[in-house]
Amino acid sequence: MPKKVLVIDDDPDVRLFNASVVQELGCIPLEATNGEEGQQMVAQEMPDLIVLDVMMPLQSGIRLYRALKTDTAFANIPVIILSGISPRSFMKSQEALAAFGGSEIPAPEAYLEKPADAETLSKTIAKLIH
């Protein structure tokens, strides 16, 4: 049974690129255009892996990541953050959210800065999905 990988990014070109990499690995690519849509798709599809952008409209990847990792139904789904912001900035934002009554959450299983090349993304997905 092929693995399902949910790509969540508001940039259609990035989504297409990422979905193509997923498909080349023999996985089923699923796509969402923002965090809100992504959260709905996670609940409906229960993907095996999520590739998540951080800066998006409606619900940022920062908030979606926190929602996923604090929900026992989704906390074990590996997440690759693929973003233009640095890993340090991302983790600082998570610390700030925790300071306002949220819980501490783990770092993502992988963090790639944009633009990620196909080989790096492919190897990262393959490592986490198999």
Side-chain angles (χ1 to χ4, degrees), residues 12-13 19 23 35 42 47 50-51 59 62 71-72 74 78 81 83 86-87 93 101 104-107 112 116 123 127:
D13 294 330
Q23 199 162 20
V42 169
I50 299 168
V51 179
Q59 182 181 0
I62 290 168
D71 187 323
T72 56
F74 311 121
I81 298 291
S83 179
S86 72
S93 70
E104 293 286 324
I105 60 161
L112 302 175
K123 284 180 180 177
K127 182 177 92 174

Side-chain angles (χ1 to χ4, degrees), residues 40-74:
Q40 291 169 357
M41 289 199 66
V42 169
Q44 291 170 358
E45 298 287 340
M46 284 303 290
D48 299 289
L49 177 74
I50 299 168
V51 179
L52 178 62
D53 184 23
V54 171
M55 304 302 290
M56 294 182 291
L58 297 185
Q59 182 181 0
S60 71
I62 290 168
R63 290 199 182 276
L64 176 55
Y65 182 77
R66 173 164 288 283
L68 293 171
K69 293 302 180 180
T70 56
D71 187 323
T72 56
F74 311 121

Side-chain angles (χ1 to χ4, degrees), residues 4-59:
K4 295 185 281 188
V5 178
L6 176 57
V7 174
I8 308 171
D9 200 300
D10 60 320
D11 183 323
D13 294 330
V14 172
R15 262 194 334 274
L16 177 63
F17 174 80
N18 293 345
S20 297
V21 170
V22 167
Q23 199 162 20
E24 285 292 316
L25 285 168
C27 300
I28 299 168
L30 307 169
E31 298 180 39
T33 61
N34 58 59
E36 195 173 89
E37 187 180 313
Q39 191 163 12
Q40 291 169 357
M41 289 199 66
V42 169
Q44 291 170 358
E45 298 287 340
M46 284 303 290
D48 299 289
L49 177 74
I50 299 168
V51 179
L52 178 62
D53 184 23
V54 171
M55 304 302 290
M56 294 182 291
L58 297 185
Q59 182 181 0

